[in-house]
Amino acid sequence: MHIEPGLVDGSKMLLSYATATAALGYTAKLAWDMLRHNGPSALLLRSAVAAALVFAFFEVFPHHPVGVSEVHLILGTTLLLIFGAAPAAIGLAAGLLVQSLFFAPQDLPQYGMNVTTLLVPLFATAALARRVIPADTAYVDLGYAQTFKLSVAYQGGIVLWVGFWAIYGQGAGAANLADIGRFGGAYMTVVLLEPLIDLGVLAIAKAWQRLQGSALVERRMYQAA
């Protein structure tokens, strides 16, 4: 997703700087926690791979402008399950920044809004995962219902944040609300597809046991908590 240029402007942009600072600050906290428990190699490796994947999601996967933003297949829950919260958050922030700097400079002023919209739902989804996934269940053994709940949380959070930025910047006029509705309706179709992709990736990981214990993937992929 990319907030359309001009949707929020002027002094209202200050809020996006504040929310982005908070989101990136929490990302730094997650990264520090992972460094203390896993060391730098796992964090750096997973973050780099996640960033490359995010860049591909934004630039290679189909994406279409709808209403107030663009519809992307971001696969945030996939990144979360494979790499963990800190690498997924770093990958989202870094992949978005690379795209904005070198391929879509018109999106750079909206970076604060975009990174907030990507990261805050990720943190909420990570918290939800701790509630809906039993402690004795490895991620490779998840079912559709569980991955669907995570996808609803992440994609729904993105829609809510985009709607917030649109109303914050342009008000609650009928035309703006209609554009938000069009975006939300188009984006929530991703909810149906993402859990299937998650299950497919997890099935591949389950069959490819050599990844167990690897620094490339989250330990919970193969082991219960």
Side-chain angles (χ1 to χ4, degrees), residues 130-152:
R130 293 191 289 271
R131 295 177 62 88
V132 303
I133 301 175
D136 59 353
T137 301
Y139 290 163
V140 293
D141 295 321
L142 292 179
Y144 183 86
Q146 292 160 316
T147 56
F148 180 77
K149 290 176 183 177
L150 300 182
S151 182
V152 168

Side-chain angles (χ1 to χ4, degrees), residues 26 30 77 80 85 116-132 149-158 160-161:
Y26 188 69
L30 293 176
T77 59
L80 176 65
T116 299
T117 303
L118 290 175
L119 294 187
V120 176
L122 181 77
F123 303 147
T125 304
L128 178 65
R130 293 191 289 271
R131 295 177 62 88
V132 303
K149 290 176 183 177
L150 300 182
S151 182
V152 168
Y154 186 66
Q155 307 299 342
I158 286 178
L160 288 175
W161 269 103

Side-chain angles (χ1 to χ4, degrees), residues 94-121:
L96 178 66
L97 182 61
V98 170
Q99 188 208 33
S100 298
L101 285 173
F102 300 105
F103 295 88
Q106 71 276 8
D107 288 332
L108 195 56
Q110 287 75 240
Y111 181 79
M113 286 178 282
N114 289 329
V115 80
T116 299
T117 303
L118 290 175
L119 294 187
V120 176

Side-chain angles (χ1 to χ4, degrees), residues 28-105:
K29 189 264 184 190
L30 293 176
W32 175 248
D33 290 343
M34 184 174 174
L35 277 173
R36 289 191 295 115
H37 290 95
N38 301 92
S41 59
L43 178 64
L44 293 173
L45 177 60
R46 294 184 205 172
S47 299
V49 175
L53 289 173
V54 169
F55 177 77
F57 298 161
F58 283 139
E59 282 296 310
V60 179
F61 283 13
H63 52 279
H64 305 284
V66 179
V68 294
S69 188
E70 291 185 355
V71 176
H72 287 270
L73 186 62
I74 301 173
L75 302 182
T77 59
T78 311
L79 297 172
L80 176 65
L81 293 173
I82 295 174
F83 302 118
I90 293 171
L92 286 166
L96 178 66
L97 182 61
V98 170
Q99 188 208 33
S100 298
L101 285 173
F102 300 105
F103 295 88

Side-chain angles (χ1 to χ4, degrees), residues 194-215:
E194 188 176 50
L196 297 176
I197 296 174
D198 291 343
L199 292 177
V201 171
L202 293 174
I204 293 172
K206 189 172 186 177
W208 204 15
Q209 290 290 323
R210 73 181 68 181
L211 285 176
Q212 187 167 358
S214 168

